[in-house]
Amino acid sequence: MEKRNKITRLFILLTVIAGLSVTGCKKKDDATPATDTTTTTSVPMGTLITHLHAYVGSEEVYQYGADIIYTSTGRKISLSMAQLYISTIQLVKMDGSLYTVPNTVLLQVPDIMPYLIGKVPAGNYKSIRFYVGLDSNTNKKVPSSSPDDVLNKPSMWFGSAAQPEGYAFVNIEGRIDTSENALGSDIEMKSFMYKIGTNSNYKQVIMPDKNFTVTPDQTQHIHMYSDFGRLLNGIDFSNKKNLMIMSVSENDSALAKTIAANIPHMFHYE
Amino acid sequence: MLVLSCYACRYDKYEQVEPAKEVCLPVLPDSVSFSKHIIPLLNKNCNTSGCHSGLSPEGKLNLEPAVAYSKLSKKGSGYIDTINPKNSVLYSAVVSASNPMPPTGRLDDCSIELIYKWMQQKGKNN
């Protein structure tokens, strides 16, 4: 009997030790649960920034309005404006689940490369995905008067105010060789201007896998570039009617759909 | 069961990196000079052939002595950040756990601290 009691007490002791050992372990990898989540409490966080360059083809745009560079299809272009919104940013964890970065809208503008994505759970990730543009709720918002409000940018409005038309998701302007064979002289460089917006042109970009690690209390950069020349693939520039999209109604055109369809393919890792 | 419990634990994978100020204190200069301290660091680790040098430098960032400062300090580039050095591309690259620079091997803690301190001291071309 005494022997049995000793064995029972030993069994209980080992069970308690085992239980403490299991619960004492730190979580193995990402602290967030496997399903899509935006919770951030009591999880080690690091800072994530995208270092985003503006390119045309393989050339970085350095001098807006001045540089003559070539698209990937060999057409001469000079950009004077290249801006776009990025929102609904999701980080893909190593197990394929997603972390949605809350409340982040970025506006890529000329000559600025770093864009703060925000504080995110520390851990190992394999990719990033995001939308170019604004979701339907944000697209209905009236901007504040603060210069820091990313929506308070008249260059991204269709008219003199942001509403009721919503925002331009992409604004690209410049001059482009309009010759049929893309071998035109400077005389054949004509002005173009495209403001792409509306909910139907809200496009997701899914980047390929490229692992990165966010370390607690440190900053990690994701180095990418946006090829604004890629947006113009498939456009017949010899047709002078194809040089302008300025209004919401024009965003229903085949031309706008052609440009919008190029959005998911314009981003690359540097 | 006890043995199984021990093997159920996994190690934390994060590398918590902070500049080892105490270790470098006798070695780190009071005032960090770009030409005297940072350039030699770039020469040894960054602008070697095939990396951040030449006509087609990696990441389009040339860190050769004649142009390094102008490239790093280019407005809007984010390569250096004198307000929050941790957020600079330069610092985050040398402490990155996933894509560290240089790719041949992490800089020693004192070199990392030197870069941090140079930015803290306004990242001058001195």
Side-chain angles (χ1 to χ4, degrees):
Chain A
M1 179 76 168
E2 200 174 312
K3 191 177 180 183
R4 206 157 86 176
N5 283 343
K6 278 187 183 171
I7 291 170
T8 304
R9 280 201 289 271
L10 182 60
F11 178 78
I12 291 170
L13 180 63
L14 286 174
T15 305
V16 169
I17 290 171
L20 285 173
S21 303
V22 170
T23 57
C25 289
K26 290 188 187 178
K27 291 205 173 146
K28 93 171 148 72
D29 207 1
D30 307 305
T32 46
T35 53
D36 184 12
T37 178
T38 60
T39 57
T40 58
T41 53
S42 70
V43 167
M45 306 290 273
T47 300
L48 192 61
I49 294 176
T50 177
H51 198 245
L52 185 58
H53 302 245
Y55 275 42
V56 168
S58 59
E59 295 297 317
E60 184 160 2
V61 183
Y62 288 114
Q63 296 193 72
Y64 286 82
D67 283 349
I68 302 279
I69 35 187
Y70 290 83
T71 68
S72 57
T73 57
R75 190 172 290 274
K76 270 193 301 201
I77 186 174
S78 172
L79 277 186
S80 55
M81 163 71 75
Q83 299 187 168
L84 52 81
Y85 281 117
I86 289 174
S87 64
T88 314
I89 300 170
Q90 294 176 307
L91 309 182
V92 185
K93 291 182 263 187
M94 298 304 284
D95 63 4
S97 60
L98 300 174
Y99 172 78
T100 301
V101 183
N103 305 320
T104 295
V105 175
L106 311 177
L107 175 63
Q108 182 182 14
V109 297
D111 298 325
I112 300 292
M113 288 183 229
Y115 296 92
L116 176 66
I117 292 173
K119 296 274 189 202
V120 302
N124 300 316
Y125 298 89
K126 63 178 178 181
S127 182
I128 184 171
R129 51 183 70 169
F130 50 88
Y131 282 78
V132 170
L134 305 170
D135 64 71
S136 55
N137 286 332
T138 309
N139 203 21
K140 288 187 279 199
K141 280 187 178 171
V142 175
S144 72
S145 57
S146 166
D148 296 330
D149 185 349
V150 74
L151 300 181
N152 185 20
K153 305 295 173 197
S155 57
M156 302 304 281
W157 303 345
F158 285 102
S160 57
Q163 301 299 335
E165 295 178 300
Y167 296 85
F169 298 163
V170 178
N171 182 354
I172 175 172
E173 300 173 29
R175 292 184 309 123
I176 194 160
D177 177 1
T178 56
S179 65
E180 202 169 326
N181 58 8
L183 294 174
S185 65
D186 286 353
I187 294 172
E188 284 163 293
M189 300 243 337
K190 304 295 181 194
S191 294
F192 71 91
M193 184 187 298
Y194 303 124
K195 280 189 173 180
I196 302 298
T198 76
N199 295 333
S200 64
N201 292 328
Y202 180 54
K203 298 292 184 187
Q204 187 179 36
V205 175
I206 296 177
M207 295 298 291
D209 286 356
K210 186 176 182 181
N211 293 356
F212 61 94
T213 299
V214 176
T215 306
D217 300 322
Q218 294 291 345
T219 298
Q220 177 66 33
H221 284 81
I222 298 179
H223 293 270
M224 297 195 293
Y225 68 90
S226 48
D227 178 2
F228 282 88
R230 182 66 168 85
L231 281 177
L232 310 179
N233 279 15
I235 297 175
D236 175 12
F237 286 103
S238 63
N239 181 348
K240 301 300 184 277
K241 291 182 183 175
N242 285 341
L243 295 178
M244 210 149 283
I245 295 175
M246 295 289 292
S247 67
V248 167
S249 60
E250 287 172 321
N251 268 272
D252 286 330
S253 65
L255 175 61
K257 299 304 173 194
T258 296
I259 296 172
N262 287 323
I263 289 172
H265 312 290
M266 68 181 285
F267 289 86
H268 306 272
Y269 290 119
E270 198 185 18
Chain B
M1 186 184 297
L2 184 60
V3 169
L4 284 172
S5 303
C6 289
Y7 277 101
C9 291
R10 296 194 200 206
Y11 292 105
D12 190 319
K13 288 181 185 175
Y14 311 140
E15 288 180 39
Q16 301 227 16
V17 176
E18 286 292 343
K21 293 177 184 173
E22 293 75 32
V23 171
C24 298
L25 202 55
V27 178
L28 214 54
D30 286 337
S31 175
V32 181
S33 155
F34 184 74
S35 57
K36 196 174 159 190
H37 301 117
I38 304 298
I39 287 283
L41 218 151
L42 299 177
N43 289 343
K44 188 180 173 189
N45 299 286
C46 307
N47 59 32
T48 51
S49 176
C51 296
H52 292 286
S53 61
L55 293 173
S56 300
E58 279 297 316
K60 297 198 187 290
L61 176 63
N62 192 319
L63 293 177
E64 291 174 292
V67 296
Y69 188 79
S70 66
K71 298 295 183 185
L72 287 172
S73 62
K74 182 173 184 251
K75 193 179 173 191
S77 70
Y79 290 121
I80 62 175
D81 187 333
T82 58
I83 297 169
N84 192 345
K86 273 189 179 181
N87 281 355
S88 66
V89 173
L90 180 60
Y91 182 80
S92 75
V94 296
V95 301
S96 172
S98 48
N99 308 102
M101 284 289 150
T104 49
R106 186 191 167 85
L107 294 182
D108 59 270
D109 286 346
C110 288
S111 295
I112 293 172
E113 173 65 7
L114 205 59
I115 290 170
Y116 188 90
K117 191 167 182 177
W118 172 66
M119 280 191 264
Q120 269 189 322
Q121 293 176 352
K122 302 303 174 196
K124 294 176 188 168
N125 187 12
N126 51 1

